[in-house]
Amino acid sequence: MKIKAVYPGSFDPITNGHIYIAERAAAIFDEVIVSVLVNERKNAAFTVKERCEMAKESLNHIQNISIDSFNGLLVDYVRHIGASVIIRGLRAMSDFEYEFQMALMNRRLAPEIETFFIVTDPKYSYVSSSSVREIFHFGGSVEGVVPDYVLEKLKAHYH
Ligand code: ADP
């Protein structure tokens, strides 16, 4: 049986930390769908289309990864596309509480879907999309933290 896993997130923008998690997931599962959350309430820096494009460019070296977007309840989306696993990345204890709560809630909603946690590489443990946006905005260097393609998009967006 082929196992399809969804890696959901805001990816605003995708960072090397996200890419690391996606690569490891792709080595375990037959198919990984990196799916950008369409969240109207959260004011994102990049549009869903831009976020998908950046994810596509950054992950096109991995054959069994595809990019999609979704709105509404995550478990409904996971069921709808015939996946059975939700991938989430863990950076630190601070991620754990939120992720644990979400995993339990999702299990309550959909007991057949498993949440699978992948621990980050220590070199990305402090990397988040929001810190990338903030550092870049104030002129700091985000080289090595995001792929070159994303760096160019950040330049176009903020300068
Ligand atoms: P969300 O808004 O759903 O938290 P993010 O795009 O911020 O979306 O993150 C998506 C997932 O990727 C989350 O599970 C988050 O913990 C994980 N993640 C984010 N940054 C990193 C990183 N540097 N290393 C590992 N996992 C990460």
Side-chain angles (χ1 to χ4, degrees):
M1 192 184 72
K2 287 208 187 300
I3 302 183
K4 227 182 200 186
V6 172
Y7 180 25
S10 306
F11 304 108
D12 187 31
I14 193 163
T15 69
N16 287 344
H18 292 128
I19 294 165
Y20 180 82
I21 299 298
E23 282 171 346
R24 294 191 77 97
I28 298 167
F29 299 102
D30 298 294
E31 205 183 318
V32 174
I33 298 109
V34 172
S35 202
V36 175
L37 170 65
V38 181
N39 189 344
E40 264 94 46
R41 274 170 304 173
K42 210 169 160 183
N43 38 18
F46 292 98
T47 65
V48 171
K49 192 165 169 259
E50 288 171 320
R51 286 183 269 156
C52 286
E53 220 170 79
M54 287 186 274
K56 204 170 244 168
E57 278 294 325
S58 310
L59 294 165
N60 66 7
H61 60 290
I62 311 166
Q63 238 199 340
N64 57 337
I65 292 187
S66 57
I67 315 298
D68 193 16
S69 62
F70 75 101
N71 54 25
L73 216 48
L74 173 62
V75 291
D76 286 344
Y77 166 73
V78 173
R79 276 179 176 148
H80 179 72
I81 64 165
S84 56
V85 176
I86 296 167
I87 308 285
R88 297 290 289 176
L90 288 178
R91 285 165 289 195
M93 276 307 286
S94 49
D95 276 339
F96 181 78
E97 206 166 311
Y98 170 73
E99 294 291 345
F100 185 67
Q101 195 180 17
M102 201 163 66
L104 288 181
M105 188 53 88
N106 283 334
R107 179 174 297 167
R108 194 190 139 99
L109 294 168
E112 79 283 10
I113 296 171
E114 201 66 67
T115 301
F116 191 96
F117 293 105
I118 297 177
V119 171
T120 193
D121 187 289
K123 67 175 182 273
Y124 300 132
S125 63
Y126 59 90
V127 174
S128 68
S129 298
S130 57
S131 67
V132 163
R133 291 195 307 268
E134 202 165 349
I135 291 164
F136 189 83
H137 183 64
F138 291 112
S141 170
V142 293
E143 250 185 85
V145 171
V146 294
D148 290 345
Y149 184 83
V150 173
L151 195 58
E152 293 309 314
K153 293 286 162 188
L154 281 164
K155 282 180 189 160
H157 186 83
Y158 287 103
H159 294 158

